[in-house]
């Protein structure tokens, strides 16, 4: 029924005035009812008899759907003739939605379709525990083919002459249910099937009716069965590199629905019949995480923790679940939480524990330390994990490649680009073609090229990676968004700001939506958009973006985090360009005070060298001053000078000497030295900028 007609029918039968507000509420109600005329007629009578508003009905339905579905209007256009009792023979009876579907359900048992009616009714009941739309045949086929002992009711989908899945038997079953108006059938043509794959959908009220007619125990059993089917389906799909994106999205909707029903109908995990559910939940956590659905992954992982605690209270199972949860928190940027939890777990683990648990702990800690700039600690954990992994697996094992890739990232961030390149290239050679890992390695190798100022080579790899990520994972997946961010940064390095800005604006918007406004990757995108605006000469816009990034990073990561301090450095340089020198000095001093790498005095003395930068070969004036001198302003703008010198020294060690980041800080230092009246050094800085390819210094 069309929406306009459905709204008109509801308002008329419920005797409600067709005001704009009532029409808006009515649209919500008829959508809930699936635009079914009988259900609308029945609901209107229920609303009228109970004297409730349209706005109240949705909540009312969720709490009392069993009574509403079974409600019979005293006056209705929908009747059947009673023939089930002599004293009522030939008299009309008002129909409810429940009555009409029960009649269809009864016909399954009395039909001469040749199908096993008990199995067919079981199949229909299981359908009600997925999402109501696009339930594919391949979900059930995966359960039949993957399970060591498929459920007996699936025999209706097996050819009697051959003990294997038969698509035509499945189509016979769903076609019969469609004839009874209990489901709708359709096909989706794709590259994996010549004739198209059969799909079924349920009316939302039919799904509710099926669940409500089942006794509590059977509801739980069908809910568990849906979870098992989804687990086998995911595991089958994970072995396919060409699993279509639309299939993945449909699966996410079924997974969301099945876990929602689990929360409703399964309150305890300690039933012996649910022995395999912890394995189901582990599969679901990994699937959600791989698709960037971190909120759902965390919720499911907490279910897993409850499950293993209630079932066995096994320390090994609990720690494994804790590692999974910390992996999700890592993706959310909660590095301090990850470190605290993994150190707590590591204290409980002994050398006799299974190697995967011990390696999982070390790898998670290593990644956490890497993100915090604690490279020595990260290297220690990764090297331990690598050596242990190689005792049981070949060098081409995916887990070994994963650790090697993490070590390459550390080398890259420390400026050892040759070593990083060698590792990335060896990992690429050992990766299976079309495996998403290969695209991630391409991105990391491109980042390494970008650090070496080889922007053209980097751009080619970013494009190849995006050509893999977008069809496989979708444009809104975190891996796709991150690759677009790196590509935009590369365009900035090439001076192609008009291209980069559009990409960065898109990345910021997507990151807000997918990850949240305070996620580290969202803040990274904002930071890089600020840098683009800075280099484009739009300084006031850049200042606002830098301050947004700084506030977010300080709140989520802390001011002493390397990423936060880099935001401080960029903002200090911008404030000098804007002439806000006092604000720049105050911020620089604040940044120096919180750094973990020694006191301000030690940092300044360490920079008392004869070179402005590692590769500059420029004489410098003495900078030996005390911490008190800086904090009391005894040295004119000393904090800004020290902060910028540190940034130059760090970036020249990790990047090429003519990298845009190095040039930005050299220009900012030149402004500081000019304000200090250091004419000769200003001239040397100008000369150095010209030598590095900066026109006019």
């Amino acid at each position: 029924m069309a929406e306009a007609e459905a709204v008109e029918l509801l308002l008329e039968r419920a005797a409600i005035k067709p005001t704009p507000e009532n029409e808006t509420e009515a649209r919500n109600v008829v959508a809930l009812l699936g635009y079914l005329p009988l259900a609308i007629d029945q609901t209107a009578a229920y609303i009228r008899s109970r004297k409730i508003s349209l706005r109240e009905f949705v909540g009312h339905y969720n709490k009392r759907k069993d009574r509403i579905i079974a409600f019979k209007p005293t006056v209705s256009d929908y009747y059947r003739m009673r023939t089930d009792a002599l004293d009522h023979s030939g008299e009309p009876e008002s129909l409810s939605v429940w009555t009409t579907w029960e009649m269809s359900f009864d016909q399954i048992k009395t039909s001469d379709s040749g199908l096993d009616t008990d199995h067919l009714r079981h199949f229909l009941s299981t359908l009600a525990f997925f999402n109501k739309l696009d339930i594919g045949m391949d979900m059930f086929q995966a359960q039949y083919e993957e399970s060591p002992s498929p459920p007996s009711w699936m025999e209706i989908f097996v050819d009697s002459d051959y003990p294997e899945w038969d698509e035509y038997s499945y189509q016979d079953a769903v076609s019969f249910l469609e004839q009874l108006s209990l489901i709708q059938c359709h096909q989706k043509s794709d590259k994996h099937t010549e004739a198209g794959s059969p799909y079924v959908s349920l009316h939302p009220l039919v799904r509710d009716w099926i669940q409500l007619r089942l006794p509590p125990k059977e509801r739980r059993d069908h809910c568990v069965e849906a979870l098992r089917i989804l687990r086998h389906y995911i595991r089958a799909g994970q072995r396919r590199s060409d699993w279509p994106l639309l299939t993945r999205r449909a699966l996410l909707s079924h997974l969301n629905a099945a876990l929602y029903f689990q929360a409703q109908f399964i309150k305890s995990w300690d039933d012996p019949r649910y022995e395999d559910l912890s394995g189901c939940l582990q599969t679901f956590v990994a699937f959600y995480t791989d698709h960037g659905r971190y909120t759902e992954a965390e919720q499911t992982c907490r279910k897993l923790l409850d499950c293993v605690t209630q079932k066995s209270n096994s320390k090994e199972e609990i720690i494994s679940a804790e590692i999974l949860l910390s992996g999700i928190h890592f993706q959310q940027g909660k590095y301090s939480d990850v470190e605290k939890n993994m150190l707590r777990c590591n204290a409980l683990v002994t050398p006799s524990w299974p190697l995967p648990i011990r390696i999982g702990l070390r790898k998670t800690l290593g990644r956490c330390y890497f993100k915090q700039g604690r490279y020595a600690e990260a290297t220690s954990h990764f090297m331990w994990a690598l050596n242990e992994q190689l005792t049981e697996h070949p060098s081409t094992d995916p887990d070994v490649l994963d650790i090697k890739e993490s070590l390459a990232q550390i080398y890259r961030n420390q400026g050892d680009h040759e070593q990083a390149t060698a590792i990335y290239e060896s990992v690429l050679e050992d990766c299976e073609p079309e495996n998403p890992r290969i695209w991630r390695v391409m991105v990391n190798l491109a980042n390494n090229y970008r650090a070496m100022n080889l922007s053209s080579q980097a751009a080619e790899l970013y494009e190849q990676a995006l050509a893999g990520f977008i069809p496989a994972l979708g444009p809104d997946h975190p891996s796709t968004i991150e690759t677009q961010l790196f590509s935009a940064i590369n365009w900035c390095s090439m001076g192609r700001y008009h291209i980069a800005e559009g990409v960065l604006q898109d990345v910021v918007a997507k990151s807000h939506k997918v990850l949240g406004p305070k996620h580290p990757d969202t803040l990274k995108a904002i930071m890089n958009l600020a840098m683009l605006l800075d280099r484009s000469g739009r300084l006031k816009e850049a200042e606002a973006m830098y301050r947004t990034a700084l506030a977010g990073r300080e709140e989520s990561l802390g001011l002493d985090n390397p990423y936060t301090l880099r935001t401080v450095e960029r903002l200090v340089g911008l404030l000098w360009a804007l002439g806000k020198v006092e604000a720049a000095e105050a911020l620089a001093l604040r940044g120096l005070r919180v750094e973990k790498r020694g006191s301000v005095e030690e940092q300044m003395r360490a920079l008392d060298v004869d070179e402005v930068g590692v590769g500059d070969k420029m004489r410098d004036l003495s900078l030996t001053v005390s911490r008190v001198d800086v904090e009391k302003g005894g040295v004119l703008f000393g904090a800004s000078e020290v902060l910028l010198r540190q940034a130059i020294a760090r970036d020249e060690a990790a990047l090429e000497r003519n990298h845009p980041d190095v040039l930005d800080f050299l220009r900012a230092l030149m402004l500081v030295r000019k304000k200090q009246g250091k004419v000769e050094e200003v001239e040397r800085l100008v000369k150095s900028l010209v030598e590095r390819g900066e026109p006019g210094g």
Side-chain angles (χ1 to χ4, degrees):
M1 191 175 197
E3 183 186 72
E5 294 175 338
V7 168
E8 182 180 357
L9 175 63
L10 177 64
L11 294 176
E12 178 186 340
R13 295 299 177 90
I16 295 175
K17 292 182 179 180
T19 65
E21 181 180 357
N22 287 338
E23 288 177 350
T24 298
E25 297 296 339
R27 280 193 286 272
N28 295 331
V29 173
V30 296
L32 175 68
L33 301 173
Y35 309 101
L36 190 67
L38 174 55
I40 294 170
D41 181 70
Q42 182 175 319
T43 296
Y46 185 89
I47 289 171
R48 190 172 60 249
S49 67
R50 296 298 190 278
K51 296 182 172 57
I52 60 176
S53 69
L54 292 171
R55 179 175 296 180
E56 294 172 318
F57 177 76
V58 174
H60 203 77
Y61 176 82
N62 289 331
K63 292 180 180 178
R64 307 189 75 194
K65 61 179 68 174
D66 55 339
R67 298 188 185 184
I68 295 173
I69 290 176
F71 180 76
K72 296 180 181 180
T74 54
V75 178
S76 174
D77 289 341
Y78 302 93
Y79 294 93
R80 71 165 176 173
M81 298 302 292
R82 291 291 302 265
T83 58
D84 53 346
L86 293 176
D87 54 342
H88 289 289
S89 180
E91 293 187 7
E93 178 190 32
S94 177
L95 289 180
S96 70
V97 175
W98 188 297
T99 306
T100 57
W101 287 323
E102 281 293 337
M103 290 165 61
S104 295
F105 198 73
D106 289 342
Q107 286 184 51
I108 296 176
K109 222 167 190 180
T110 60
S111 73
D112 56 356
S113 63
L115 298 166
D116 186 303
T117 58
D118 288 337
H119 291 345
L120 195 58
R121 287 157 68 103
H122 188 108
F123 170 56
L124 178 62
S125 297
T126 302
L127 288 174
F129 292 85
F130 298 104
N131 183 45
K132 59 184 180 292
L133 301 176
D134 295 338
I135 306 171
M137 178 192 73
D138 47 354
M139 290 168 52
F140 300 94
Q141 184 175 354
Q143 164 78 341
Y144 180 81
E145 295 177 346
E146 294 282 328
S147 176
S149 53
S152 59
W153 63 268
M154 283 193 171
E155 292 172 3
I156 57 172
F157 307 137
V158 178
D159 190 320
S160 57
D161 297 327
Y162 302 97
E164 59 184 26
W165 183 270
D166 180 42
E167 178 180 339
Y168 300 108
S169 295
Y170 181 88
Q171 289 177 341
D172 289 342
V174 297
S175 295
F176 176 68
L177 292 176
E178 185 177 39
Q179 292 171 22
L180 298 177
S181 301
L182 293 171
I183 63 172
Q184 292 179 326
C185 300
H186 61 285
Q187 289 191 334
K188 288 184 177 181
S189 295
D190 57 41
K191 65 180 181 180
H192 303 291
T193 53
E194 293 183 3
S197 181
Y199 286 80
V200 302
S201 298
L202 278 75
H203 190 283
L205 295 186
V206 170
R207 187 177 68 175
D208 288 345
W209 159 73
I210 293 172
Q211 291 182 0
L212 289 169
R213 72 181 307 282
L214 294 171
K217 178 186 175 299
E218 290 186 29
R219 287 184 202 168
R220 291 194 293 271
D221 290 345
H222 285 290
C223 185
V224 169
E225 192 154 50
L227 296 175
R228 288 171 177 154
I229 288 169
L230 289 170
R231 182 195 188 192
H232 285 292
Y233 187 41
I234 290 171
R235 293 175 66 177
Q238 287 171 337
R239 294 194 292 271
R240 288 173 49 182
S241 59
D242 59 347
W243 213 16
L245 176 60
L246 290 177
T247 300
R248 295 171 186 266
R249 287 178 173 170
L251 176 51
L252 283 168
S253 70
H254 292 307
L255 193 51
N256 291 342
L259 287 171
Y260 170 78
F261 296 133
Q262 170 270 310
Q264 281 191 309
F265 304 131
I266 302 176
K267 304 298 183 182
S268 174
W269 301 97
D270 58 0
D271 191 313
R273 295 173 302 156
Y274 306 159
E275 187 63 32
D276 61 333
L277 287 193
S278 59
C280 292
L281 294 173
Q282 287 179 19
T283 300
F284 302 158
V285 169
F287 185 77
Y288 276 134
T289 304
D290 289 345
H291 288 76
R293 306 291 285 269
Y294 302 129
T295 299
E296 293 94 330
E298 181 174 0
Q299 292 170 349
T300 308
C301 199
R302 294 196 182 281
K303 290 177 188 280
L304 174 62
L305 273 169
D306 289 341
C307 181
V308 297
T309 302
Q310 289 182 33
K311 281 201 311 105
S312 62
N313 201 26
S314 163
K315 288 185 178 180
E316 292 181 4
E317 287 189 89
I318 292 172
I319 294 297
S320 294
E322 292 278 8
I323 294 171
L324 275 177
L325 184 59
S326 288
I328 299 163
H329 286 162
F330 173 83
Q331 297 291 348
Q332 294 173 314
K334 301 175 182 178
Y335 306 130
S336 59
D337 291 346
V338 172
E339 180 181 2
K340 181 180 178 181
N341 195 37
M342 289 296 91
L343 288 175
R344 177 183 61 80
C345 291
N346 199 44
L348 302 173
V349 174
T350 66
S352 64
W353 280 46
L355 186 60
I357 293 178
R358 293 184 286 133
I359 289 179
L361 273 167
R362 294 297 194 100
K363 285 169 62 176
T364 305
L365 273 170
R367 291 192 179 101
C368 180
Y369 290 141
F370 170 77
K371 281 293 188 179
Q372 297 178 77
R374 296 157 65 179
Y375 300 132
E377 293 167 276
T379 300
S380 173
H381 286 291
F382 284 132
M383 288 303 299
W384 182 92
L386 180 61
N387 290 332
E388 291 294 318
Q389 196 77 46
L390 287 171
T391 62
E392 296 188 4
H393 300 280
S395 59
T396 56
D397 182 82
D399 289 332
V400 172
L401 297 179
D402 184 64
I403 301 172
K404 287 181 177 180
E405 190 181 347
S406 297
L407 286 167
Q409 288 180 281
I410 295 175
Y411 289 128
R412 185 192 76 206
N413 279 25
Q414 292 179 316
D416 191 347
H417 301 300
E418 290 186 7
Q419 179 76 351
T421 300
I423 296 175
Y424 284 136
E425 289 178 346
S426 71
V427 172
L428 277 176
E429 290 178 4
D430 291 330
C431 279
E432 295 180 2
E434 303 302 322
N435 187 315
R437 173 188 295 279
I438 203 168
W439 305 321
R440 190 184 71 192
V441 180
M442 284 180 182
V443 171
N444 285 324
L445 180 56
N447 289 341
N448 194 51
Y449 284 150
R450 180 164 51 83
M452 298 167 70
N453 224 22
L454 301 174
S455 301
S456 296
Q457 292 94 318
E460 291 178 10
L461 284 173
Y462 289 134
E463 289 302 315
Q464 289 181 49
L466 284 171
F469 279 137
I470 292 175
L473 302 178
D476 294 338
H477 189 278
S479 294
T480 306
I481 296 171
E482 183 182 53
T483 305
Q484 289 176 318
L485 170 61
F486 291 140
S487 179
I489 295 170
N490 193 55
W491 286 120
C492 287
S493 300
M494 299 170 73
R496 307 286 290 275
Y497 299 131
H498 62 292
I499 298 176
E501 183 173 356
V503 177
L504 281 173
Q505 293 281 9
D506 185 50
V507 167
V508 169
K510 287 181 179 176
S511 298
H512 266 272
K513 177 183 176 182
V514 175
L515 303 173
K518 295 182 181 179
H519 189 279
D521 288 353
T522 304
L523 298 171
K524 183 194 293 186
I526 293 171
M527 173 75 171
N528 280 280
L529 181 55
M531 292 169 64
L532 180 147
L533 296 170
D534 187 351
R535 290 172 181 167
S536 301
R538 294 151 65 181
L539 303 187
K540 290 185 178 180
E541 294 177 69
E543 181 184 1
M545 299 294 284
Y546 278 136
R547 291 193 181 280
T548 298
L550 178 58
R553 283 181 164 176
E554 186 173 357
E555 179 182 345
S556 60
L557 303 176
L559 189 58
D560 59 347
N561 181 275
Y563 293 96
T564 310
L565 290 171
R566 290 189 184 191
T567 314
V568 170
E569 294 165 355
R570 300 294 314 193
L571 183 53
V572 166
L574 178 76
L575 291 172
W576 271 95
L578 286 168
K580 300 179 180 181
V581 296
E582 299 296 339
E585 182 69 3
L587 180 59
L589 183 58
R590 182 165 171 258
L592 291 174
R593 282 174 176 162
V594 301
E595 285 192 282
K596 293 180 177 179
R597 294 188 294 272
S599 67
V600 174
E601 181 180 1
E602 290 169 342
Q603 295 160 20
M604 297 183 75
R605 286 177 177 165
L607 288 167
D608 183 21
V609 293
D610 291 339
E611 300 170 345
V612 170
V614 172
D616 243 353
K617 308 300 182 186
M618 296 188 298
R619 301 292 301 172
D620 186 22
L621 300 176
S622 176
L623 193 61
T624 306
V625 294
S626 70
R627 181 182 183 123
V628 174
D629 288 332
V630 173
E631 294 193 351
K632 290 189 175 182
V635 176
L636 186 63
F637 303 113
S640 293
E641 181 179 354
V642 170
L643 189 81
L644 293 170
R645 283 177 178 275
Q646 287 183 166
I648 293 168
R650 180 202 62 233
D651 283 356
E652 283 197 327
L655 306 171
E656 293 300 306
R657 67 191 303 270
N658 61 339
H659 192 280
D661 289 357
V662 178
L663 301 180
D664 288 342
F665 288 126
L666 282 173
R667 282 192 294 269
L669 179 61
M670 184 176 66
L671 293 175
V672 176
R673 296 304 261 170
K674 185 176 181 179
K675 190 73 173 179
Q676 292 171 331
K678 307 296 182 180
V679 178
E680 292 182 4
E681 189 180 342
V682 170
E683 292 175 354
R684 286 194 292 270
L685 285 166
V686 171
K687 181 180 178 182
S688 177
L689 285 165
V690 172
E691 289 173 352
R692 295 165 189 250
E694 184 75 355

